Amino acid sequence: MATQYLMGYVSHLIIETANPYAKKLKKQVTVRLDEGTIAYFKNLAEEKDLPYQSLINLYLRDCAQSHKDLKIEWQ
C-alpha cells in the first residue's frame, strides 16, 4: 500500500515538474572552427562574462533571425 502511494506521488511530481522549455533545448553538434575564430569568441566571452559556446550560439541565432547573408569572395 505504501509503495503504491509513493509511486503515485513520484509520478505526480514528474508530471508537475516537467520542463516547460523542453522544446527549446539545444542540440549538441560538432563544428570545426579555426583556432583564431575560437580565440576571438573566447576573448569576447571573457569580456562579456559568458561561456564562449553560448556567445557563439547567440551570434548564430542573431544571424539566422536577421537572415544575414554571407558574402564570399574567393581569392
Side-chain angles (χ1 to χ4, degrees), residues 11-61:
S11 65
H12 177 72
L13 281 178
I14 292 170
I15 292 170
E16 289 293 317
T17 59
N19 185 348
Y21 301 103
K23 291 184 179 180
K24 295 183 178 187
L25 294 177
K26 295 180 171 101
K27 180 176 181 173
Q28 183 175 347
V29 297
T30 301
V31 179
R32 296 178 186 270
L33 302 172
D34 299 327
E35 288 184 25
T37 302
I38 295 170
Y40 170 79
F41 279 103
K42 281 186 174 183
N43 289 333
L44 187 59
E46 190 173 315
E47 291 174 17
K48 305 289 183 188
D49 196 29
L50 291 169
Y52 79 98
Q53 292 176 331
S54 297
L55 183 62
I56 292 171
N57 185 61
L58 288 169
Y59 182 78
L60 292 175
R61 183 187 311 147

